[in-house]
Amino acid sequence: MKYFLVGLGNPGREYENTRHNTGRIVLSHVMKKFDFDDLGENKKLKALSAKGEIGGKDVLAIEPETYMNKSGSSVKEAVKNPKDAARMIVVYDDMDLPLGSFRIAWNRSSGGHNGLESIIKSLRTREFARIRVGVSPATPKGKAKKPSGEEKVIKFLMGKFKPDEMDEIKKASKKIAEAIEVMIAESREKAMTLFN
Protein backbone atom coordinates (compact mmCIF):
# COMPACT_ATOMS: atom_id res chain seq x y z
CA MET A 1 0.00 0.00 0.00
CA LYS A 2 1.49 3.27 -1.11
CA TYR A 3 1.64 6.44 0.99
CA PHE A 4 1.83 9.98 -0.40
CA LEU A 5 3.96 12.74 1.06
CA VAL A 6 3.21 16.18 -0.39
CA GLY A 7 5.37 19.26 0.24
CA LEU A 8 3.59 22.48 -0.72
CA GLY A 9 5.28 25.53 -2.22
CA ASN A 10 5.75 27.46 -5.43
CA PRO A 11 8.01 26.30 -8.26
CA GLY A 12 10.92 28.40 -9.49
CA ARG A 13 14.20 29.79 -8.19
CA GLU A 14 12.72 33.03 -6.88
CA TYR A 15 10.60 31.13 -4.34
CA GLU A 16 13.39 28.96 -2.95
CA ASN A 17 13.81 29.24 0.83
CA THR A 18 10.76 31.49 1.22
CA ARG A 19 8.38 30.94 4.14
CA HIS A 20 5.59 29.91 1.76
CA ASN A 21 7.83 27.07 0.53
CA THR A 22 8.27 25.55 3.97
CA GLY A 23 6.43 22.38 2.88
CA ARG A 24 8.99 21.78 0.14
CA ILE A 25 11.94 22.61 2.42
CA VAL A 26 10.77 20.18 5.11
CA LEU A 27 10.00 17.48 2.53
CA SER A 28 13.56 17.65 1.16
CA HIS A 29 14.98 17.10 4.67
CA VAL A 30 12.61 14.17 5.28
CA MET A 31 13.55 12.60 1.94
CA LYS A 32 17.24 12.93 2.77
CA LYS A 33 16.74 11.24 6.14
CA PHE A 34 15.00 8.25 4.57
CA ASP A 35 17.32 7.99 1.54
CA PHE A 36 14.70 8.66 -1.12
CA ASP A 37 15.59 8.68 -4.81
CA ASP A 38 16.36 12.15 -6.21
CA LEU A 39 13.37 14.24 -7.22
CA GLY A 40 12.64 14.03 -10.94
CA GLU A 41 10.16 15.71 -13.23
CA ASN A 42 6.85 13.87 -13.44
CA LYS A 43 4.91 15.37 -16.35
CA LYS A 44 1.75 13.38 -15.59
CA LEU A 45 1.59 14.77 -12.06
CA LYS A 46 2.77 18.27 -13.03
CA ALA A 47 5.19 17.77 -10.15
CA LEU A 48 8.63 16.73 -9.04
CA SER A 49 8.38 13.29 -7.50
CA ALA A 50 10.54 10.61 -5.95
CA LYS A 51 10.08 7.15 -4.49
CA GLY A 52 11.24 5.96 -1.12
CA GLU A 53 10.39 3.85 1.88
CA ILE A 54 9.37 4.89 5.38
CA GLY A 55 8.51 2.41 8.14
CA GLY A 56 8.62 -0.46 5.64
CA LYS A 57 5.97 1.14 3.40
CA ASP A 58 6.35 2.53 -0.13
CA VAL A 59 6.06 6.31 -0.23
CA LEU A 60 5.74 8.68 -3.18
CA ALA A 61 7.04 12.18 -2.42
CA ILE A 62 5.38 14.92 -4.45
CA GLU A 63 6.27 18.59 -4.91
CA PRO A 64 3.58 20.14 -7.12
CA GLU A 65 5.12 22.25 -9.90
CA THR A 66 1.87 24.23 -10.18
CA TYR A 67 1.54 27.44 -8.21
CA MET A 68 0.35 27.06 -4.65
CA ASN A 69 -3.31 27.83 -5.35
CA LYS A 70 -3.42 25.08 -8.03
CA SER A 71 -1.73 22.37 -5.93
CA GLY A 72 -4.82 20.16 -6.09
CA SER A 73 -4.64 19.73 -9.87
CA SER A 74 -1.23 18.10 -9.41
CA VAL A 75 -2.07 16.00 -6.34
CA LYS A 76 -5.28 14.53 -7.79
CA GLU A 77 -3.26 12.90 -10.59
CA ALA A 78 -1.61 10.66 -7.95
CA VAL A 79 -4.23 10.52 -5.20
CA LYS A 80 -7.20 9.03 -7.03
CA ASN A 81 -9.81 8.35 -4.35
CA PRO A 82 -10.68 8.81 -0.65
CA LYS A 83 -8.77 5.64 0.28
CA ASP A 84 -5.62 7.10 -1.30
CA ALA A 85 -6.28 10.44 0.42
CA ALA A 86 -6.39 8.70 3.80
CA ARG A 87 -2.76 7.63 3.16
CA MET A 88 -1.61 11.14 2.22
CA ILE A 89 0.34 13.57 4.43
CA VAL A 90 0.52 17.21 3.28
CA VAL A 91 3.26 19.43 4.75
CA TYR A 92 2.82 23.21 4.56
CA ASP A 93 3.57 26.59 6.16
CA ASP A 94 1.31 27.99 8.88
CA MET A 95 1.47 31.57 10.15
CA ASP A 96 -0.64 30.69 13.21
CA LEU A 97 2.25 28.72 14.68
CA PRO A 98 5.60 30.06 15.89
CA LEU A 99 8.69 29.22 13.84
CA GLY A 100 10.02 25.71 14.35
CA SER A 101 6.86 24.30 15.90
CA PHE A 102 4.45 21.98 14.10
CA ARG A 103 1.05 20.35 14.51
CA ILE A 104 -0.43 17.22 12.99
CA ALA A 105 -4.09 17.53 11.98
CA TRP A 106 -6.69 15.34 10.29
CA ASN A 107 -9.95 16.16 8.50
CA ARG A 108 -9.80 19.90 9.17
CA SER A 109 -10.63 22.93 7.05
CA SER A 110 -7.90 24.65 5.03
CA GLY A 111 -7.65 27.47 7.58
CA GLY A 112 -7.40 29.86 4.64
CA HIS A 113 -4.28 28.20 3.17
CA ASN A 114 -4.62 28.35 -0.64
CA GLY A 115 -2.61 25.21 -1.33
CA LEU A 116 -4.62 23.13 1.10
CA GLU A 117 -7.91 24.63 -0.11
CA SER A 118 -7.01 23.61 -3.68
CA ILE A 119 -6.27 20.02 -2.58
CA ILE A 120 -9.52 19.73 -0.60
CA LYS A 121 -11.54 21.00 -3.59
CA SER A 122 -9.75 18.77 -6.12
CA LEU A 123 -10.00 15.59 -4.04
CA ARG A 124 -13.45 16.44 -2.66
CA THR A 125 -12.40 15.28 0.79
CA ARG A 126 -10.79 16.74 3.90
CA GLU A 127 -9.97 13.30 5.26
CA PHE A 128 -6.22 13.34 4.99
CA ALA A 129 -3.37 14.14 7.36
CA ARG A 130 -1.56 17.43 7.29
CA ILE A 131 1.46 18.78 9.12
CA ARG A 132 1.29 22.51 9.75
CA VAL A 133 4.75 23.99 10.18
CA GLY A 134 5.10 27.31 12.01
CA VAL A 135 6.77 30.19 10.19
CA SER A 136 5.95 33.22 12.38
CA PRO A 137 8.30 34.81 14.94
CA ALA A 138 7.39 33.91 18.52
CA THR A 139 6.30 36.40 21.18
CA PRO A 140 8.01 36.22 24.60
CA LYS A 141 5.09 34.00 25.68
CA GLY A 142 5.73 31.63 22.77
CA LYS A 143 2.72 32.64 20.67
CA ALA A 144 2.91 33.33 16.92
CA LYS A 145 3.42 37.00 16.09
CA LYS A 146 1.96 37.18 12.61
CA PRO A 147 1.55 40.13 10.26
CA SER A 148 -1.90 41.56 9.57
CA GLY A 149 -3.32 42.93 6.34
CA GLU A 150 -3.13 41.14 3.00
CA GLU A 151 -0.15 43.09 1.66
CA LYS A 152 1.97 42.47 4.77
CA VAL A 153 0.99 38.80 4.84
CA ILE A 154 2.04 38.26 1.21
CA LYS A 155 5.31 40.12 1.75
CA PHE A 156 6.01 38.03 4.84
CA LEU A 157 5.23 34.68 3.19
CA MET A 158 7.24 35.52 0.07
CA GLY A 159 10.21 36.64 2.21
CA LYS A 160 13.21 34.34 2.53
CA PHE A 161 14.21 32.67 5.79
CA LYS A 162 17.28 34.12 7.52
CA PRO A 163 20.08 31.57 8.19
CA ASP A 164 19.15 31.20 11.89
CA GLU A 165 15.48 30.70 10.94
CA MET A 166 16.54 28.06 8.43
CA ASP A 167 18.35 26.26 11.28
CA GLU A 168 15.06 26.19 13.21
CA ILE A 169 13.27 24.68 10.21
CA LYS A 170 16.04 22.07 9.88
CA LYS A 171 15.63 21.17 13.55
CA ALA A 172 11.86 20.93 13.18
CA SER A 173 12.31 18.75 10.07
CA LYS A 174 14.11 16.10 12.15
CA LYS A 175 11.14 15.87 14.51
CA ILE A 176 8.67 15.96 11.60
CA ALA A 177 10.53 13.04 9.99
CA GLU A 178 10.10 11.08 13.23
CA ALA A 179 6.40 11.98 13.36
CA ILE A 180 5.88 10.89 9.75
CA GLU A 181 7.59 7.57 10.47
CA VAL A 182 5.25 6.95 13.42
CA MET A 183 2.22 7.91 11.29
CA ILE A 184 3.15 5.50 8.52
CA ALA A 185 4.63 2.61 10.52
CA GLU A 186 2.16 2.73 13.42
CA SER A 187 -0.76 5.15 13.37
CA ARG A 188 -1.80 8.74 12.93
CA GLU A 189 -3.32 8.75 16.41
CA LYS A 190 -0.06 7.68 18.02
CA ALA A 191 1.85 10.38 16.12
CA MET A 192 -0.66 13.01 17.27
CA THR A 193 -0.35 11.87 20.88
CA LEU A 194 3.46 11.91 20.78
CA PHE A 195 4.09 15.06 18.75
CA ASN A 196 1.12 17.45 19.18
Side-chain angles (χ1 to χ4, degrees), residues 4-177:
F4 305 92
L5 202 48
V6 181
L8 293 185
N10 285 309
R13 272 278 158 82
E14 69 270 36
Y15 297 107
E16 271 175 24
N17 298 334
T18 59
R19 294 182 184 90
H20 214 25
N21 270 30
T22 300
R24 281 178 157 223
I25 297 165
V26 170
L27 181 61
S28 67
H29 288 300
V30 172
M31 287 169 60
K32 222 174 260 167
K33 180 185 176 356
F34 293 108
D35 265 341
F36 270 58
D37 299 339
D38 290 336
L39 281 168
E41 195 184 343
N42 186 324
K43 284 201 164 76
K44 183 174 170 267
L45 301 185
K46 300 190 281 277
L48 299 174
S49 70
K51 290 175 178 160
E53 201 178 274
I54 299 176
K57 307 271 172 57
D58 290 335
V59 179
L60 181 68
I62 301 169
E63 284 186 4
E65 282 280 89
T66 55
Y67 283 101
M68 183 69 93
N69 60 354
K70 298 262 191 284
S71 300
S73 67
S74 166
V75 172
K76 75 168 192 229
E77 292 299 326
V79 181
K80 299 287 192 192
N81 53 49
K83 272 189 175 155
D84 282 351
R87 294 191 307 278
M88 174 174 73
I89 303 165
V90 180
V91 186
Y92 64 98
D93 58 291
D94 194 326
M95 287 196 315
D96 292 330
L97 294 173
L99 183 75
S101 65
F102 69 94
R103 287 278 173 277
I104 302 166
W106 167 264
N107 193 13
R108 299 265 295 274
S109 77
S110 68
H113 191 282
N114 291 338
L116 208 61
E117 186 60 40
S118 171
I119 291 172
I120 290 169
K121 278 189 175 146
S122 294
L123 301 185
R124 297 201 179 113
T125 181
R126 300 193 320 191
E127 292 191 22
F128 56 86
R130 64 281 317 249
I131 297 177
R132 303 158 46 211
V133 186
V135 295
S136 292
T139 65
K141 285 187 171 163
K143 296 263 184 256
K145 187 176 154 200
K146 57 180 190 175
S148 60
E150 196 177 344
E151 217 168 288
K152 280 184 181 160
V153 165
I154 290 169
K155 197 176 167 195
F156 176 74
L157 287 176
M158 294 306 166
K160 291 194 188 283
F161 283 118
K162 297 184 190 88
D164 60 324
E165 292 176 322
M166 215 37 155
D167 290 342
E168 286 297 318
I169 292 292
K170 228 181 230 173
K171 255 188 249 166
S173 297
K174 282 189 181 143
K175 279 254 177 278
I176 291 168

